Amino acid sequence: MDAAVRDYVEAIPAENRPLFDRLHRIILAEHPGAQVTISYDLPTYTVGKRRLYLGSWQHGVSLYGWGADRDGGFLARHPELKSGKGTIKLRPEAAAEIDDSEFRDLVRAALSP
């Protein structure tokens, strides 16, 4: 992990850090070769030409950056988490009710060629 990403992660509020770490691990487990850099001031996971952004906000974390047809059905199952085009806002309590397999499906669809 480069210094800019490490600095971003270390600055995440303690209440959001477990959720960020969970999603970070899922992304890297699905795409171990993903490059992790900072882009648009957010940790960015790049696989080929695909990108997925994972950021912390006041009440949780957000995922950004995939096409509408590349969410693995995640938003069809959880429409209440949609917060704009290609954006999912997750509060820790909402994410606690979602199985890792659903996040894996989302990550796989978003970053696979």
Side-chain angles (χ1 to χ4, degrees), residues 17-111:
R17 184 66 187 271
L19 177 54
F20 182 94
D21 290 346
R22 175 184 174 197
L23 293 172
H24 173 79
R25 282 190 302 271
I26 289 170
I27 294 167
L28 292 181
E30 286 302 312
H31 294 281
Q35 293 181 355
V36 185
T37 58
I38 294 289
S39 181
Y40 298 106
D41 296 323
L42 296 169
T44 305
Y45 302 80
T46 304
V47 177
K49 293 183 178 185
R50 306 266 183 221
R51 289 189 178 153
L52 185 63
Y53 304 87
L54 177 61
S56 176
W57 58 286
Q58 183 179 3
H59 300 293
V61 301
S62 292
L63 289 158
Y64 311 85
W66 63 90
D69 61 337
R70 300 188 64 85
D71 72 354
F74 187 88
L75 288 174
R77 292 185 300 276
H78 303 285
E80 73 282 2
L81 299 177
K82 183 177 181 179
S83 177
K85 185 178 179 181
T87 303
I88 295 172
K89 282 194 168 185
L90 287 165
R91 294 176 182 261
E93 57 275 7
E97 304 209 6
I98 299 172
D99 189 75
D100 283 357
S101 65
E102 290 199 63
F103 290 120
R104 283 193 297 271
D105 290 346
L106 168 63
V107 168
R108 205 174 299 123
L111 289 174

Side-chain angles (χ1 to χ4, degrees), residues 7-18 20-21 43 55-56 60-61:
D7 291 346
Y8 184 97
V9 171
E10 289 174 358
I12 293 172
E15 61 272 14
N16 294 340
R17 184 66 187 271
F20 182 94
D21 290 346
S56 176
V61 301

